Amino acid sequence: MNYLKTKRFLDFTLSLCGIIILLPIFFLISVSIKLDSPGPILFKQKRVGIHKRHFKILKFRTMRIDTPKDSPTHLLENPDYWITKVGRFLRKTSLDELPQIFNILKGDMSIVGPRPALWNQFDLIDERDKYGANDVPVGLTGWAQINGRDELEIPIKAKLDGEYVQKIGIKMDVRCFLGTIFKVLRSDGVVEGGTSTNPRDVKRKYQDNE
C-alpha cells in the first residue's frame, strides 16, 4: 500500500509535535498518579502489532500494582476494586492512552488503525486474519473505536477492522480521528466490567486491561 509510507511520515511528524505540546499535561498526570497510589507512572503490556509482531504498549497506570496481569479488565471479578481514583478519571477521558504517542513516534503504532490486541487474545487475532487486519499498522484509535468501542463483540470488532483495511487512506484516517474526538468528549462506548450480565457475553467483549 503506497499510502502506508505517507501514513508513517504523518505519524512521526504529528506524534513528535504532540509530545512537545503535551509535555505540561504529561507532567501533571504523572504527579497525580504518584500522589494517588504507589507504583510506576507508566504501565507496559505486551501487545500485537502489524504482522502479529509483539511490542510493549505504553499507558499511564490506572490500576493498582497488584492487579492480575495480562487479563482484560472486564474479566476481573471486581474491576472497580483495582482501578485507582486518578485512574478512573484517566480512563473515562481516555487520557491514559496518551503515552502511546511514544509508541507512534517509535513506529510500533499509527495514530489510526485497529487497536492492538493483547498477546493472548487469540480469538480476536484469528478473526482479524480473515480480513487482513493484522497486516496494517495498529492504532491509537480506529474505525471500530468510533463504532462501538468497548461495547463491541469480537466478530463485529474484527469485521469493522476489516472495513478499515478496505478503505484505508487519508480520508478514512481523518474520519476516524475526528470521530474519536467526538466519542471521547461524550465518553461513548466506555464500559468497565462488560456490558452484559451474561458471563458468556461478557467474556466475548474486548477491552484493554489498563
Side-chain angles (χ1 to χ4, degrees):
M1 299 180 184
N2 293 330
Y3 174 65
L4 293 185
K5 293 182 179 179
T6 302
K7 185 177 176 69
R8 176 59 194 147
F9 173 77
L10 292 173
D11 286 335
F12 181 85
T13 304
L14 293 176
S15 61
L16 182 60
C17 292
I19 289 171
I20 296 172
I21 294 171
L22 294 171
L23 275 178
I25 295 178
F26 273 91
F27 176 75
L28 290 174
I29 293 176
S30 298
V31 171
S32 298
I33 291 172
K34 293 300 291 185
L35 292 176
D36 183 47
S37 65
I41 294 170
L42 295 178
F43 172 82
K44 299 178 182 180
Q45 191 177 56
K46 186 161 68 172
R47 294 296 181 99
V48 180
I50 187 172
H51 305 313
K52 294 186 276 191
R53 297 169 185 159
H54 291 166
F55 72 98
K56 293 289 186 179
I57 198 172
L58 300 176
K59 293 191 178 188
F60 281 121
R61 181 176 59 84
T62 62
M63 305 185 81
R64 294 169 34 169
I65 57 176
D66 56 342
T67 304
K69 305 298 181 183
D70 292 323
S71 176
T73 305
H74 67 277
L75 293 184
L76 297 174
E77 186 174 344
N78 183 9
D80 286 335
Y81 173 77
W82 304 102
I83 300 173
T84 64
K85 292 179 180 178
V86 170
R88 189 166 289 107
F89 170 78
L90 294 177
R91 282 171 168 253
K92 185 175 181 180
T93 57
S94 295
L95 288 173
D96 60 316
E97 310 282 357
L98 282 182
Q100 286 163 51
I101 295 178
F102 291 96
N103 286 120
I104 295 170
L105 183 69
K106 183 182 175 183
D108 294 328
M109 297 174 59
S110 176
I111 295 174
V112 179
R115 279 296 293 166
L118 283 165
W119 68 272
N120 56 359
Q121 279 189 304
F122 305 116
D123 47 357
L124 176 59
I125 297 167
D126 289 343
E127 281 291 319
R128 283 177 170 171
D129 269 334
K130 299 177 182 178
Y131 304 101
N134 288 316
D135 297 318
V136 297
V138 294
L140 178 64
T141 187
W143 187 236
Q145 277 57 53
I146 67 171
N147 283 284
R149 205 170 176 179
D150 298 333
E151 296 175 344
L152 297 175
E153 294 187 357
I154 285 173
I156 300 175
K157 183 183 292 290
K159 186 176 181 179
L160 287 168
D161 289 334
E163 289 180 13
Y164 172 78
V165 174
Q166 293 297 318
K167 301 176 182 179
I168 190 170
I170 187 67
K171 183 178 179 181
M172 184 62 160
D173 280 1
V174 170
R175 186 177 180 183
C176 290
F177 184 79
L178 294 178
T180 299
I181 294 174
F182 177 75
K183 282 279 185 177
V184 169
L185 290 176
R186 293 186 56 184
S187 296
D188 282 354
V190 180
V191 179
E192 298 293 359
T195 60
S196 171
T197 56
N198 186 323
R200 293 182 63 183
D201 291 340
V202 170
K203 192 172 183 179
R204 292 187 64 80
K205 306 293 182 186
Y206 170 70
Q207 182 180 34
D208 298 342
N209 180 25
E210 278 283 292

